[in-house]
Amino acid sequence: MVLYVSLVIVRRKIFRADNMFNQQHLFLNSIDTYFEPLLNRVLSKDKLGVGWGIIELDSISSSCGKKKGDCFKLSIPYAGENLLWNVLFDSEYPELGPDFIFGDETFLMDPDIESLSTHVPSLANWDYKNDNALLKVIIELLSYYKEHQVQLLKRQAERLNLEYSMLIHDMQISPKDIEVILLPVGTKPIEARFSIRLDIDFSQLPPTRTNQSQNNAAMLLVTFRGQDWNCVIPNLYLSKSLEETFSEAASLHIPPILPNSYLTAYIPKVKKLITDKINTIIQCYESRKNFVSALLLLQRDCIIEYDAVEFYDLTLLLEHRDFYFLVHFHLPQTFPKDKPIIKLQSVYHMTAHENEVSKFKENSTKNNRFCNK
């Protein structure tokens, strides 16, 4: 299927590996100068759709044998999958919009002008001078593709149709936070996936050295299989920033979906699980902060250094009968549930490896004054 539309490419996020980032720029250097700004805007898009994936450039080619390419393949995240769409420009007529070849042959098999004008207005009003033209078309096409998948879903067994209808009529779930897809695309489906962004407030999470709350996100990917779509497998995905925040906390084990249970009843349970974990992290953070604050008050003249962001570590220089030594405190993420590690370190004696002699104090006691009530 060939469709005239504009293309946009999203640049990789800043936290992507340097070699991947450089690869994108090498690709861009191979693009015809007329289309480079369009592609650059697409690749610069920080996230797309329900998840936090970005559009990636798969390959570049030329329609007329030139060194600079005017055709490229994009990998577009959607419902836990990557859609491969070919975008075809013509270097000899750069003012014309591109053709599209979709990996799903059931999508826009025989489009009419009125339908395209309604669902992809940026294509009907193609403006080659606008650097965002291609990105707008891709976003509109992706929305159109979602409608196409919903229509396919309605032709399946009642279970899938009922699940989707209940979700979009749930006042706590926005339709824009749901993506669905039947797999494999273009043939008789044996699997259906619902990708659902969970609306959770992460702004109360304590600060960390790397975490930025605006990047925090959680997505539930639910897979339906079986003759009557009654085999339901849920998977919870967290953005990279949340994975780092939860890394040392107890693992999040989401419950299974019980027979005859629906997503509208299951999703609140998952959201409560995450919310409870957030509250636990906040409480532990406050306990560590109170512990460090107490030592700062009691031993303010002996402080060597301390962690002023996450309150994991603190070091004191103490003296006993003219003997000076260091006391290192390390508070685990789950403090005060788990006791601190205290290390005593002489400032005089050295080992054979020129390291200060140290001793761990493992039998430290738990003081309930640092537990949040």
Side-chain angles (χ1 to χ4, degrees):
M1 152 65 210
V2 176
L3 171 65
Y4 280 99
V5 286
S6 56
L7 170 69
V8 211
I9 296 185
V10 182
R11 180 176 299 170
R12 296 182 177 274
K13 288 185 180 179
I14 193 169
F15 60 77
R16 293 283 185 174
D18 288 342
N19 62 330
M20 299 299 290
F21 181 78
N22 292 334
Q23 184 182 30
Q24 292 285 59
H25 280 272
L26 288 174
F27 271 138
L28 286 176
N29 290 334
S30 303
I31 285 289
D32 190 292
T33 54
Y34 284 107
F35 313 121
E36 182 179 345
L38 297 171
L39 185 57
N40 189 53
R41 287 298 177 88
V42 174
L43 295 178
S44 299
K45 179 74 173 169
D46 58 349
K47 62 181 179 179
L48 191 69
V50 168
W52 42 89
I54 59 173
I55 301 177
E56 298 183 2
L57 184 59
D58 183 86
S59 61
I60 295 177
S61 60
S62 174
S63 64
C64 50
K66 294 183 178 180
K67 291 184 178 180
K68 295 287 188 176
D70 56 2
C71 303
F72 35 89
K73 182 184 293 185
L74 298 178
S75 176
I76 302 174
Y78 174 80
E81 289 289 302
N82 287 312
L83 307 177
L84 293 177
W85 290 0
N86 287 281
V87 185
L88 314 174
F89 282 98
D90 188 339
S91 295
E92 297 184 1
Y93 301 96
E95 70 280 2
L96 298 180
D99 295 340
F100 262 79
I101 300 178
F102 304 102
D104 185 350
E105 294 182 356
T106 66
F107 180 50
L108 292 176
M109 284 292 293
D110 188 21
D112 60 85
I113 298 300
E114 183 178 352
S115 177
L116 289 178
S117 299
T118 302
H119 293 90
V120 196
S122 296
L123 170 62
N125 301 290
W126 174 255
D127 180 7
Y128 72 98
K129 296 181 180 179
N130 185 348
D131 291 347
N132 288 316
L134 183 57
L135 180 58
K136 290 180 179 180
V137 172
I138 288 181
I139 292 175
E140 291 167 2
L141 279 172
L142 202 58
S143 177
Y144 199 7
Y145 186 73
K146 175 180 174 179
E147 291 185 28
H148 170 69
Q149 286 293 328
V150 170
Q151 294 303 316
L152 293 179
L153 181 143
K154 291 180 178 180
R155 302 174 191 172
Q156 302 303 314
E158 182 182 359
R159 172 66 187 263
L160 293 180
N161 196 12
L162 183 58
E163 287 279 15
Y164 184 76
S165 297
M166 292 174 66
L167 282 175
I168 62 174
H169 289 99
D170 190 321
M171 297 300 293
Q172 297 184 2
I173 303 175
S174 172
K176 66 181 178 61
D177 290 335
I178 308 169
E179 292 175 349
V180 298
I181 190 170
L182 296 175
L183 298 170
V185 295
T187 61
K188 183 179 180 180
I190 60 174
E191 183 175 293
R193 290 185 184 176
F194 284 44
S195 180
I196 305 163
R197 181 193 291 122
L198 300 179
D199 184 18
I200 299 175
D201 182 12
F202 296 106
S203 62
Q204 299 305 311
L205 279 170
T208 67
R209 291 175 178 81
T210 59
N211 183 31
Q212 298 180 353
S213 60
Q214 65 267 26
N215 295 327
N216 291 332
M219 180 183 73
L220 186 66
L221 185 63
V222 184
T223 302
F224 293 84
R225 295 173 182 159
Q227 184 175 359
D228 297 319
W229 306 103
N230 287 326
C231 178
V232 187
I233 305 171
N235 286 285
L236 178 64
Y237 292 90
L238 304 176
S239 59
K240 184 178 180 180
S241 55
L242 272 186
E243 286 181 350
E244 294 174 351
T245 300
F246 291 168
S247 60
E248 296 182 12
S251 299
L252 282 172
H253 297 292
I254 61 175
I257 298 180
L258 300 176
N260 301 321
S261 178
Y262 292 95
L263 292 179
T264 48
Y266 178 77
I267 291 175
K269 296 178 182 178
V270 177
K271 293 175 66 174
K272 183 179 185 302
L273 179 69
I274 298 175
T275 302
D276 289 345
K277 179 60 63 179
I278 291 173
N279 291 334
T280 298
I281 291 175
I282 294 174
Q283 291 170 6
C284 292
Y285 169 81
E286 292 296 333
S287 296
R288 296 196 306 272
K289 182 178 180 180
N290 291 339
F291 182 91
V292 171
S293 297
L295 283 178
L296 290 176
L297 179 63
L298 296 173
Q299 301 289 344
R300 57 182 177 273
D301 295 329
C302 304
I303 301 296
I304 298 298
E305 62 180 1
Y306 70 96
D307 180 358
V309 178
E310 300 176 86
F311 302 100
Y312 284 126
D313 301 286
L314 179 141
T315 299
L316 301 176
L317 175 63
L318 300 181
E319 176 267 336
H320 180 67
R321 296 181 180 179
D322 292 330
F323 181 85
Y324 289 86
F325 56 97
L326 298 172
V327 182
H328 302 280
F329 292 87
H330 175 73
L331 308 180
Q333 187 175 21
T334 51
F335 176 84
K337 178 182 178 181
D338 293 326
K339 60 187 179 183
I341 297 174
I342 304 174
K343 184 174 74 170
L344 306 180
Q345 186 178 61
S346 169
V347 299
Y348 302 105
H349 303 89
M350 307 292 288
T351 67
H353 299 289
E354 299 299 319
N355 295 321
E356 294 88 350
V357 175
S358 61
K359 180 178 181 180
F360 284 91
K361 177 69 174 177
E362 295 186 351
N363 295 323
S364 55
T365 57
K366 174 181 174 181
N367 190 332
N368 289 330
R369 67 174 290 190
F370 299 110
C371 300
N372 288 336
K373 305 298 182 182

PDB file of all heavy atoms in Angstrom, residues 183-210:
ATOM      1  N   LEU A 183      -2.026  -9.612  16.797  1.00  0.00           N
ATOM      2  CA  LEU A 183      -0.811 -10.193  16.234  1.00  0.00           C
ATOM      3  C   LEU A 183      -1.039 -11.643  15.805  1.00  0.00           C
ATOM      4  O   LEU A 183      -1.809 -12.367  16.435  1.00  0.00           O
ATOM      5  CB  LEU A 183       0.317 -10.133  17.267  1.00  0.00           C
ATOM      6  CG  LEU A 183       0.728  -8.717  17.722  1.00  0.00           C
ATOM      7  CD1 LEU A 183       1.676  -8.804  18.906  1.00  0.00           C
ATOM      8  CD2 LEU A 183       1.368  -7.945  16.576  1.00  0.00           C
ATOM      9  N   PRO A 184      -0.349 -12.063  14.729  1.00  0.00           N
ATOM     10  CA  PRO A 184       0.512 -11.241  13.849  1.00  0.00           C
ATOM     11  C   PRO A 184      -0.319 -10.333  12.955  1.00  0.00           C
ATOM     12  O   PRO A 184      -1.449 -10.671  12.601  1.00  0.00           O
ATOM     13  CB  PRO A 184       1.269 -12.286  13.035  1.00  0.00           C
ATOM     14  CG  PRO A 184       0.367 -13.475  13.024  1.00  0.00           C
ATOM     15  CD  PRO A 184      -0.352 -13.477  14.330  1.00  0.00           C
ATOM     16  N   VAL A 185       0.238  -9.182  12.606  1.00  0.00           N
ATOM     17  CA  VAL A 185      -0.506  -8.214  11.801  1.00  0.00           C
ATOM     18  C   VAL A 185      -0.715  -8.759  10.400  1.00  0.00           C
ATOM     19  O   VAL A 185       0.132  -9.461   9.846  1.00  0.00           O
ATOM     20  CB  VAL A 185       0.234  -6.856  11.740  1.00  0.00           C
ATOM     21  CG1 VAL A 185       0.304  -6.219  13.100  1.00  0.00           C
ATOM     22  CG2 VAL A 185       1.630  -7.008  11.157  1.00  0.00           C
ATOM     23  N   GLY A 186      -1.861  -8.436   9.839  1.00  0.00           N
ATOM     24  CA  GLY A 186      -2.147  -8.792   8.453  1.00  0.00           C
ATOM     25  C   GLY A 186      -2.649 -10.200   8.239  1.00  0.00           C
ATOM     26  O   GLY A 186      -2.987 -10.566   7.115  1.00  0.00           O
ATOM     27  N   THR A 187      -2.682 -11.024   9.291  1.00  0.00           N
ATOM     28  CA  THR A 187      -3.176 -12.399   9.166  1.00  0.00           C
ATOM     29  C   THR A 187      -4.138 -12.697  10.306  1.00  0.00           C
ATOM     30  O   THR A 187      -4.427 -11.828  11.137  1.00  0.00           O
ATOM     31  CB  THR A 187      -2.014 -13.408   9.203  1.00  0.00           C
ATOM     32  OG1 THR A 187      -1.340 -13.295  10.468  1.00  0.00           O
ATOM     33  CG2 THR A 187      -1.019 -13.140   8.086  1.00  0.00           C
ATOM     34  N   LYS A 188      -4.633 -13.928  10.358  1.00  0.00           N
ATOM     35  CA  LYS A 188      -5.539 -14.313  11.426  1.00  0.00           C
ATOM     36  C   LYS A 188      -4.826 -14.192  12.770  1.00  0.00           C
ATOM     37  O   LYS A 188      -3.800 -14.832  13.013  1.00  0.00           O
ATOM     38  CB  LYS A 188      -6.024 -15.744  11.215  1.00  0.00           C
ATOM     39  CG  LYS A 188      -7.035 -16.187  12.276  1.00  0.00           C
ATOM     40  CD  LYS A 188      -7.506 -17.602  12.015  1.00  0.00           C
ATOM     41  CE  LYS A 188      -8.510 -18.035  13.088  1.00  0.00           C
ATOM     42  NZ  LYS A 188      -8.998 -19.415  12.870  1.00  0.00           N
ATOM     43  N   PRO A 189      -5.348 -13.367  13.674  1.00  0.00           N
ATOM     44  CA  PRO A 189      -4.636 -13.117  14.930  1.00  0.00           C
ATOM     45  C   PRO A 189      -4.713 -14.309  15.898  1.00  0.00           C
ATOM     46  O   PRO A 189      -5.714 -15.004  15.975  1.00  0.00           O
ATOM     47  CB  PRO A 189      -5.367 -11.900  15.504  1.00  0.00           C
ATOM     48  CG  PRO A 189      -6.744 -11.984  14.935  1.00  0.00           C
ATOM     49  CD  PRO A 189      -6.587 -12.563  13.564  1.00  0.00           C
ATOM     50  N   ILE A 190      -3.628 -14.509  16.614  1.00  0.00           N
ATOM     51  CA  ILE A 190      -3.588 -15.506  17.682  1.00  0.00           C
ATOM     52  C   ILE A 190      -3.258 -14.856  19.023  1.00  0.00           C
ATOM     53  O   ILE A 190      -3.226 -15.520  20.054  1.00  0.00           O
ATOM     54  CB  ILE A 190      -2.549 -16.603  17.371  1.00  0.00           C
ATOM     55  CG1 ILE A 190      -1.156 -15.975  17.237  1.00  0.00           C
ATOM     56  CG2 ILE A 190      -2.934 -17.379  16.119  1.00  0.00           C
ATOM     57  CD1 ILE A 190      -0.038 -16.994  17.074  1.00  0.00           C
ATOM     58  N   GLU A 191      -3.044 -13.554  18.985  1.00  0.00           N
ATOM     59  CA  GLU A 191      -2.667 -12.829  20.198  1.00  0.00           C
ATOM     60  C   GLU A 191      -3.172 -11.394  20.108  1.00  0.00           C
ATOM     61  O   GLU A 191      -3.132 -10.778  19.043  1.00  0.00           O
ATOM     62  CB  GLU A 191      -1.141 -12.858  20.358  1.00  0.00           C
ATOM     63  CG  GLU A 191      -0.619 -12.210  21.613  1.00  0.00           C
ATOM     64  CD  GLU A 191       0.888 -12.389  21.739  1.00  0.00           C
ATOM     65  OE1 GLU A 191       1.320 -13.545  21.925  1.00  0.00           O
ATOM     66  OE2 GLU A 191       1.616 -11.390  21.625  1.00  0.00           O
ATOM     67  N   ALA A 192      -3.663 -10.881  21.223  1.00  0.00           N
ATOM     68  CA  ALA A 192      -4.103  -9.484  21.303  1.00  0.00           C
ATOM     69  C   ALA A 192      -3.373  -8.815  22.461  1.00  0.00           C
ATOM     70  O   ALA A 192      -3.242  -9.400  23.538  1.00  0.00           O
ATOM     71  CB  ALA A 192      -5.610  -9.391  21.501  1.00  0.00           C
ATOM     72  N   ARG A 193      -2.903  -7.605  22.224  1.00  0.00           N
ATOM     73  CA  ARG A 193      -2.182  -6.887  23.273  1.00  0.00           C
ATOM     74  C   ARG A 193      -2.855  -5.560  23.573  1.00  0.00           C
ATOM     75  O   ARG A 193      -3.194  -4.806  22.658  1.00  0.00           O
ATOM     76  CB  ARG A 193      -0.728  -6.652  22.867  1.00  0.00           C
ATOM     77  CG  ARG A 193       0.110  -7.916  22.843  1.00  0.00           C
ATOM     78  CD  ARG A 193       1.554  -7.604  22.548  1.00  0.00           C
ATOM     79  NE  ARG A 193       2.350  -8.818  22.438  1.00  0.00           N
ATOM     80  CZ  ARG A 193       3.635  -8.847  22.111  1.00  0.00           C
ATOM     81  NH1 ARG A 193       4.258  -7.702  21.848  1.00  0.00           N
ATOM     82  NH2 ARG A 193       4.285  -9.992  22.035  1.00  0.00           N
ATOM     83  N   PHE A 194      -3.005  -5.296  24.869  1.00  0.00           N
ATOM     84  CA  PHE A 194      -3.500  -4.017  25.356  1.00  0.00           C
ATOM     85  C   PHE A 194      -2.335  -3.347  26.091  1.00  0.00           C
ATOM     86  O   PHE A 194      -1.808  -3.890  27.053  1.00  0.00           O
ATOM     87  CB  PHE A 194      -4.666  -4.202  26.336  1.00  0.00           C
ATOM     88  CG  PHE A 194      -5.971  -4.563  25.697  1.00  0.00           C
ATOM     89  CD1 PHE A 194      -6.048  -5.518  24.691  1.00  0.00           C
ATOM     90  CD2 PHE A 194      -7.158  -3.969  26.121  1.00  0.00           C
ATOM     91  CE1 PHE A 194      -7.251  -5.863  24.105  1.00  0.00           C
ATOM     92  CE2 PHE A 194      -8.375  -4.314  25.544  1.00  0.00           C
ATOM     93  CZ  PHE A 194      -8.415  -5.256  24.531  1.00  0.00           C
ATOM     94  N   SER A 195      -1.947  -2.180  25.618  1.00  0.00           N
ATOM     95  CA  SER A 195      -0.897  -1.399  26.274  1.00  0.00           C
ATOM     96  C   SER A 195      -1.571  -0.218  26.972  1.00  0.00           C
ATOM     97  O   SER A 195      -2.233   0.591  26.322  1.00  0.00           O
ATOM     98  CB  SER A 195       0.129  -0.913  25.254  1.00  0.00           C
ATOM     99  OG  SER A 195       1.140  -0.168  25.878  1.00  0.00           O
ATOM    100  N   ILE A 196      -1.400  -0.125  28.293  1.00  0.00           N
ATOM    101  CA  ILE A 196      -2.149   0.850  29.088  1.00  0.00           C
ATOM    102  C   ILE A 196      -1.189   1.667  29.941  1.00  0.00           C
ATOM    103  O   ILE A 196      -0.437   1.116  30.754  1.00  0.00           O
ATOM    104  CB  ILE A 196      -3.165   0.134  30.003  1.00  0.00           C
ATOM    105  CG1 ILE A 196      -4.076  -0.773  29.156  1.00  0.00           C
ATOM    106  CG2 ILE A 196      -3.984   1.137  30.797  1.00  0.00           C
ATOM    107  CD1 ILE A 196      -4.819  -1.810  29.958  1.00  0.00           C
ATOM    108  N   ARG A 197      -1.194   2.974  29.732  1.00  0.00           N
ATOM    109  CA  ARG A 197      -0.403   3.854  30.586  1.00  0.00           C
ATOM    110  C   ARG A 197      -1.139   4.042  31.915  1.00  0.00           C
ATOM    111  O   ARG A 197      -2.326   4.369  31.936  1.00  0.00           O
ATOM    112  CB  ARG A 197      -0.182   5.215  29.930  1.00  0.00           C
ATOM    113  CG  ARG A 197       0.660   6.166  30.774  1.00  0.00           C
ATOM    114  CD  ARG A 197       0.608   7.578  30.263  1.00  0.00           C
ATOM    115  NE  ARG A 197       1.284   7.726  28.978  1.00  0.00           N
ATOM    116  CZ  ARG A 197       0.717   8.175  27.887  1.00  0.00           C
ATOM    117  NH1 ARG A 197      -0.574   8.470  27.890  1.00  0.00           N
ATOM    118  NH2 ARG A 197       1.399   8.309  26.769  1.00  0.00           N
ATOM    119  N   LEU A 198      -0.428   3.840  33.021  1.00  0.00           N
ATOM    120  CA  LEU A 198      -1.038   3.961  34.345  1.00  0.00           C
ATOM    121  C   LEU A 198      -0.890   5.398  34.840  1.00  0.00           C
ATOM    122  O   LEU A 198       0.225   5.929  34.923  1.00  0.00           O
ATOM    123  CB  LEU A 198      -0.384   2.989  35.321  1.00  0.00           C
ATOM    124  CG  LEU A 198      -0.489   1.500  34.919  1.00  0.00           C
ATOM    125  CD1 LEU A 198       0.217   0.625  35.955  1.00  0.00           C
ATOM    126  CD2 LEU A 198      -1.940   1.078  34.757  1.00  0.00           C
ATOM    127  N   ASP A 199      -2.014   6.003  35.168  1.00  0.00           N
ATOM    128  CA  ASP A 199      -2.032   7.388  35.636  1.00  0.00           C
ATOM    129  C   ASP A 199      -1.706   7.400  37.129  1.00  0.00           C
ATOM    130  O   ASP A 199      -2.584   7.213  37.974  1.00  0.00           O
ATOM    131  CB  ASP A 199      -3.400   8.005  35.365  1.00  0.00           C
ATOM    132  CG  ASP A 199      -3.449   9.473  35.750  1.00  0.00           C
ATOM    133  OD1 ASP A 199      -2.372  10.084  35.887  1.00  0.00           O
ATOM    134  OD2 ASP A 199      -4.565  10.004  35.931  1.00  0.00           O
ATOM    135  N   ILE A 200      -0.437   7.608  37.433  1.00  0.00           N
ATOM    136  CA  ILE A 200       0.043   7.592  38.823  1.00  0.00           C
ATOM    137  C   ILE A 200       0.879   8.842  39.061  1.00  0.00           C
ATOM    138  O   ILE A 200       1.662   9.261  38.204  1.00  0.00           O
ATOM    139  CB  ILE A 200       0.877   6.326  39.107  1.00  0.00           C
ATOM    140  CG1 ILE A 200       0.023   5.067  38.899  1.00  0.00           C
ATOM    141  CG2 ILE A 200       1.460   6.346  40.516  1.00  0.00           C
ATOM    142  CD1 ILE A 200       0.790   3.780  39.033  1.00  0.00           C
ATOM    143  N   ASP A 201       0.726   9.427  40.235  1.00  0.00           N
ATOM    144  CA  ASP A 201       1.487  10.619  40.592  1.00  0.00           C
ATOM    145  C   ASP A 201       2.846  10.203  41.167  1.00  0.00           C
ATOM    146  O   ASP A 201       2.930   9.671  42.265  1.00  0.00           O
ATOM    147  CB  ASP A 201       0.712  11.445  41.625  1.00  0.00           C
ATOM    148  CG  ASP A 201       1.437  12.734  42.004  1.00  0.00           C
ATOM    149  OD1 ASP A 201       2.418  13.093  41.315  1.00  0.00           O
ATOM    150  OD2 ASP A 201       1.029  13.386  42.981  1.00  0.00           O
ATOM    151  N   PHE A 202       3.906  10.449  40.402  1.00  0.00           N
ATOM    152  CA  PHE A 202       5.257  10.116  40.853  1.00  0.00           C
ATOM    153  C   PHE A 202       5.998  11.341  41.397  1.00  0.00           C
ATOM    154  O   PHE A 202       7.169  11.232  41.762  1.00  0.00           O
ATOM    155  CB  PHE A 202       6.069   9.518  39.700  1.00  0.00           C
ATOM    156  CG  PHE A 202       5.533   8.211  39.192  1.00  0.00           C
ATOM    157  CD1 PHE A 202       4.868   8.145  37.980  1.00  0.00           C
ATOM    158  CD2 PHE A 202       5.688   7.042  39.921  1.00  0.00           C
ATOM    159  CE1 PHE A 202       4.381   6.939  37.500  1.00  0.00           C
ATOM    160  CE2 PHE A 202       5.204   5.836  39.449  1.00  0.00           C
ATOM    161  CZ  PHE A 202       4.542   5.784  38.241  1.00  0.00           C
ATOM    162  N   SER A 203       5.328  12.475  41.440  1.00  0.00           N
ATOM    163  CA  SER A 203       6.010  13.719  41.797  1.00  0.00           C
ATOM    164  C   SER A 203       6.462  13.747  43.256  1.00  0.00           C
ATOM    165  O   SER A 203       7.334  14.534  43.619  1.00  0.00           O
ATOM    166  CB  SER A 203       5.090  14.918  41.527  1.00  0.00           C
ATOM    167  OG  SER A 203       3.917  14.848  42.336  1.00  0.00           O
ATOM    168  N   GLN A 204       5.857  12.884  44.108  1.00  0.00           N
ATOM    169  CA  GLN A 204       6.215  12.883  45.522  1.00  0.00           C
ATOM    170  C   GLN A 204       7.432  12.025  45.836  1.00  0.00           C
ATOM    171  O   GLN A 204       7.892  11.987  46.979  1.00  0.00           O
ATOM    172  CB  GLN A 204       5.013  12.387  46.351  1.00  0.00           C
ATOM    173  CG  GLN A 204       3.768  13.248  46.229  1.00  0.00           C
ATOM    174  CD  GLN A 204       4.025  14.699  46.572  1.00  0.00           C
ATOM    175  OE1 GLN A 204       4.620  15.002  47.608  1.00  0.00           O
ATOM    176  NE2 GLN A 204       3.584  15.600  45.713  1.00  0.00           N
ATOM    177  N   LEU A 205       7.943  11.301  44.844  1.00  0.00           N
ATOM    178  CA  LEU A 205       9.141  10.494  45.090  1.00  0.00           C
ATOM    179  C   LEU A 205      10.300  11.386  45.527  1.00  0.00           C
ATOM    180  O   LEU A 205      10.466  12.499  45.018  1.00  0.00           O
ATOM    181  CB  LEU A 205       9.529   9.727  43.827  1.00  0.00           C
ATOM    182  CG  LEU A 205       8.758   8.443  43.545  1.00  0.00           C
ATOM    183  CD1 LEU A 205       9.086   7.933  42.142  1.00  0.00           C
ATOM    184  CD2 LEU A 205       9.058   7.373  44.577  1.00  0.00           C
ATOM    185  N   PRO A 206      11.099  10.929  46.477  1.00  0.00           N
ATOM    186  CA  PRO A 206      12.233  11.751  46.937  1.00  0.00           C
ATOM    187  C   PRO A 206      13.248  11.954  45.838  1.00  0.00           C
ATOM    188  O   PRO A 206      13.355  11.150  44.903  1.00  0.00           O
ATOM    189  CB  PRO A 206      12.809  10.918  48.098  1.00  0.00           C
ATOM    190  CG  PRO A 206      12.347   9.521  47.853  1.00  0.00           C
ATOM    191  CD  PRO A 206      11.010   9.648  47.197  1.00  0.00           C
ATOM    192  N   PRO A 207      14.033  13.022  45.939  1.00  0.00           N
ATOM    193  CA  PRO A 207      15.037  13.308  44.898  1.00  0.00           C
ATOM    194  C   PRO A 207      16.160  12.280  44.916  1.00  0.00           C
ATOM    195  O   PRO A 207      16.506  11.720  45.962  1.00  0.00           O
ATOM    196  CB  PRO A 207      15.553  14.692  45.282  1.00  0.00           C
ATOM    197  CG  PRO A 207      15.321  14.778  46.766  1.00  0.00           C
ATOM    198  CD  PRO A 207      14.049  14.019  47.025  1.00  0.00           C
ATOM    199  N   THR A 208      16.709  12.024  43.739  1.00  0.00           N
ATOM    200  CA  THR A 208      17.898  11.182  43.609  1.00  0.00           C
ATOM    201  C   THR A 208      18.887  11.898  42.716  1.00  0.00           C
ATOM    202  O   THR A 208      18.573  12.942  42.138  1.00  0.00           O
ATOM    203  CB  THR A 208      17.557   9.798  43.014  1.00  0.00           C
ATOM    204  OG1 THR A 208      17.133   9.981  41.649  1.00  0.00           O
ATOM    205  CG2 THR A 208      16.454   9.114  43.805  1.00  0.00           C
ATOM    206  N   ARG A 209      20.060  11.315  42.568  1.00  0.00           N
ATOM    207  CA  ARG A 209      21.083  11.967  41.754  1.00  0.00           C
ATOM    208  C   ARG A 209      20.785  11.855  40.268  1.00  0.00           C
ATOM    209  O   ARG A 209      21.260  12.636  39.462  1.00  0.00           O
ATOM    210  CB  ARG A 209      22.453  11.355  42.063  1.00  0.00           C
ATOM    211  CG  ARG A 209      22.944  11.705  43.464  1.00  0.00           C
ATOM    212  CD  ARG A 209      24.254  10.992  43.787  1.00  0.00           C
ATOM    213  NE  ARG A 209      24.725  11.367  45.108  1.00  0.00           N
ATOM    214  CZ  ARG A 209      24.267  10.838  46.230  1.00  0.00           C
ATOM    215  NH1 ARG A 209      23.332   9.921  46.182  1.00  0.00           N
ATOM    216  NH2 ARG A 209      24.724  11.226  47.402  1.00  0.00           N
ATOM    217  N   THR A 210      20.028  10.832  39.896  1.00  0.00           N
ATOM    218  CA  THR A 210      19.778  10.596  38.474  1.00  0.00           C
ATOM    219  C   THR A 210      18.319  10.707  38.086  1.00  0.00           C
ATOM    220  O   THR A 210      17.997  10.994  36.942  1.00  0.00           O
ATOM    221  CB  THR A 210      20.274   9.198  38.078  1.00  0.00           C
ATOM    222  OG1 THR A 210      19.602   8.211  38.871  1.00  0.00           O
ATOM    223  CG2 THR A 210      21.775   9.077  38.313  1.00  0.00           C
TER     224      THR A 210
END
